[in-house]
Amino acid sequence: MGGALIFGLFAWWLYEDNRAERSLLNTFVAALFLAFVIYGAVLPAMTPLFPSAEIARALRNVVCVGPKAAAAGFHEPSLVFMTDTSTLLTDGSHAADFLSQGSCRFALVEQRSERAFVQRAEVIGLRYNVANRIEGYNISQGRAVSIAIFRSEGTE
């Protein structure tokens, strides 16, 4: 909006000799181009601001059908909407218990919860693999996040 105002004032300055309508039209055209650039190129390139979208993309690219997920430490509402509404929001130790309940299960564990996850997995004898790690920024909490995607052994 600010950019459109600046473009509008610049256009008004260029066409100040009784052509206000043309200045207004130039302002609208400039605002339209600015919106296309911001929404079409700038925002999609800012993937670290949308870790939920990266996690959802990683879960869509798995081989198994109907993956189930539990999130520990990263409780963003957007994560539930982008992955599946049955995504369990829990802590690190319960994420390990969730992962032990079968195949095609994924634990999305934020770095601050990894210690509890690993300790619980060791206690219950859980065998798991690290599928991926997503680095991003949690806008709602204003801090960087690092989310490991653990999968139950035998899950691709």
Side-chain angles (χ1 to χ4, degrees):
M1 192 61 104
L5 181 63
I6 290 170
F7 283 124
L9 290 173
F10 182 69
W12 177 72
W13 179 69
L14 287 176
Y15 300 107
E16 62 183 270
D17 54 345
N18 295 329
R19 292 196 276 181
E21 294 85 12
R22 186 174 175 118
S23 296
L24 188 60
L25 179 64
N26 287 342
T27 301
F28 285 127
V29 170
L32 184 66
F33 284 128
L34 187 65
F36 281 139
V37 168
I38 289 175
Y39 292 118
V42 175
L43 285 179
M46 301 176 86
T47 57
L49 292 179
F50 309 107
S52 296
E54 291 296 312
I55 293 169
R57 187 174 298 115
L59 291 180
R60 278 193 300 271
N61 292 334
V62 298
V63 176
C64 64
V65 178
K68 302 221 178 285
F74 184 68
H75 299 163
E76 270 301 300
S78 61
L79 177 67
V80 174
F81 293 119
M82 291 184 156
T83 54
D84 187 5
T85 56
S86 66
T87 300
L88 178 66
L89 302 178
T90 186
D91 60 2
S93 62
H94 287 102
D97 291 333
F98 174 84
L99 204 60
S100 69
Q101 294 173 1
S103 64
C104 201
R105 290 179 175 259
F106 295 86
L108 316 169
V109 183
E110 208 274 326
Q111 187 175 17
R112 293 168 186 83
S113 300
E114 274 187 51
R115 185 176 190 160
F117 174 83
V118 170
Q119 288 174 342
R120 180 64 182 162
E122 205 172 288
V123 168
I124 63 174
L126 175 66
R127 295 206 265 166
Y128 58 91
N129 298 315
V130 179
N132 200 355
R133 182 169 287 280
I134 307 292
E135 304 288 335
Y137 191 79
N138 189 344
I139 296 174
S140 66
Q141 294 183 352
R143 65 179 181 192
V145 292
S146 177
I147 302 158
I149 302 176
F150 297 106
R151 65 177 181 236
S152 53
E153 190 173 70
T155 301
E156 295 297 320

